[in-house]
């Protein structure tokens, strides 16, 4: 059962900000993650502020520079079927349609997808784990099949979002509005690792709202998103890879490769990027680059299977890029 809390349906961003700010005030977008967290007492709320009636937070429009501006409250279903997203950033349409089920994509929003909390069963369960201010991460030495193999410690959650790795690969930014004002920051600065900030997964201060996601122009950009899940139906990623590549005559000039489901934040695979820039990504390059994707990985007792999985999907995605090149 949900606990009691005050509920506000804000009509404007200003009204929402008036009600937000305290440690236990929460933003409600689609509610597909938030309400489960409140029901399961993962965290508390004195006041929940709905953004659903706030004007101007939905929709997809062209930016003056040729990129796209996506309202934070745009549903994942809208993102996945938008002809502009599909035409300019097909990888983002693939990532949005890889989230959960049609019902959840109709309800869940893009900003909510970026700001959702981790799925670690110790964090979600009745454990006073390190992330909740406790002394230890129970995943270390516990049931860690779905936990981080890269970037973990002192907490080993994985970032659960499908759109986050793709948006990071696309060099997207988010517009953030709070009582102190407004700023736009790149996603590369938005997500934080537990070694920097244990209690939260991004730099949002209490009461701040993500109002827009900003995509830079995409001429000549190839993008793709590949996700592996345990079940054929809706499920979170065991591992995923987002590619955003520019090339001339099939030769890669710029590469952004980001892994999902394997680290506490979307994980930039820089060694893969280095291995493919300047090449046409032939079979051997794809294989060698994929091997580099797990450089520095430190699997826990039950999740070493993620390493060949990562290598496999990176190699497969790179080979698709190679095959896609017009001859
Ligand atoms: C069964 C199930 C399966 C799922 N499978 C997947 C999956 O495969 N892939 C995946 O990526 N996700 C998955 N999800 C998670 C979730 O449904 C999606 O991430 C969804 O996009 C969350 O969006 P929402 O609008 O419902 O967010 P909400 O639940 O409203 O909010 C989520 C969190 O973000 C905060 N928040 C929301 N909007 C904003 C904003 N604009 N500014 C600041 N903070 C904000 C909220 O306060 C809350 O903490 C799944 C969820 C369920 C229940």
């Amino acid at each position: 059962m949900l606990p009691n809390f005050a509920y506000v349906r804000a009509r404007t961003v200003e009204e929402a900000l008036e009600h937000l700010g305290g440690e236990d005030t929460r933003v409600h977008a689609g509610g597909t993650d938030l309400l489960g967290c409140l029901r399961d007492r993962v965290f508390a709320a004195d006041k929940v502020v709905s953004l659903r009636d706030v004007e101007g937070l939905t929709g997809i429009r062209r930016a003056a520079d040729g990129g796209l501006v996506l309202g934070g409250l745009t549903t994942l279903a809208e993102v996945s079927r938008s002809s502009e997203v599909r035409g300019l950033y097909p990888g983002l349409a693939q990532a949005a349609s890889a989230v959960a089920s049609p019902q959840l994509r109709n309800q869940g929003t893009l900003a909510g997808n970026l700001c959702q909390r981790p799925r670690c069963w110790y964090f979600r369960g009745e454990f006073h784990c390190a992330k909740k201010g406790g002394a230890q991460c129970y995943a270390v030495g516990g049931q860690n099949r779905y936990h981080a193999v890269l970037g973990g410690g002192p907490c080993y959650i994985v970032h659960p979002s499908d759109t986050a790795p793709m948006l990071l690969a696309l060099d997207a930014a988010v517009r953030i509005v709070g009582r102190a004002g407004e700023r736009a920051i790149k996603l590369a600065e938005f997500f934080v690792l537990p070694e920097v900030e244990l209690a939260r997964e991004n730099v949002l201060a209490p009461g701040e709202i993500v109002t827009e996601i900003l995509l830079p122009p995409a001429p000549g950009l190839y993008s793709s998103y590949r996700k592996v899940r345990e079940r054929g139906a809706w499920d979170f990623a065991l591992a995923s890879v987002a590619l955003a590549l520019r090339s001339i005559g099939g030769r890669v000039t710029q590469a952004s490769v980001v892994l999902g489901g394997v680290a506490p934040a979307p994980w930039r695979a820089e060694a893969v990027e280095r291995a493919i820039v300047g090449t046409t990504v032939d079979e051997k390059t794809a294989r060698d680059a994929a091997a580099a994707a797990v450089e520095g990985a430190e699997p826990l007792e039950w999740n070493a299977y993620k390493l060949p999985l990562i290598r496999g999907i990176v190699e497969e995605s790179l080979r698709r890029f190679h095959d896609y090149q017009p001859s």
Side-chain angles (χ1 to χ4, degrees), residues 43 51 74 96 100 103 113 144 162 176 235 249 280 285 288 291 305:
F43 49 74
L51 302 181
T74 308
Q103 292 89 337
N113 192 259
N144 48 44
D162 281 309
I176 298 170
D235 212 348
T280 56
T285 307
D288 292 349
Y305 73 93

Side-chain angles (χ1 to χ4, degrees), residues 27 29-34 100 109 113 115-116 162 210 227 235-236:
V27 171
T32 59
D33 177 44
L34 177 77
T109 65
N113 192 259
C115 300
Q116 62 176 301
D162 281 309
V210 174
K227 168 180 182 179
D235 212 348
F236 290 89

Side-chain angles (χ1 to χ4, degrees), residues 1 16 53 77 100 113 118 135 196 232 258 263 294:
M1 212 168 65
D53 296 340
N113 192 259
V196 178
V258 181
V294 293

Side-chain angles (χ1 to χ4, degrees), residues 10-22:
R11 303 261 161 202
T12 61
V13 171
E14 293 69 31
E15 194 191 339
L17 294 176
E18 260 172 45
H19 289 280
L20 291 165

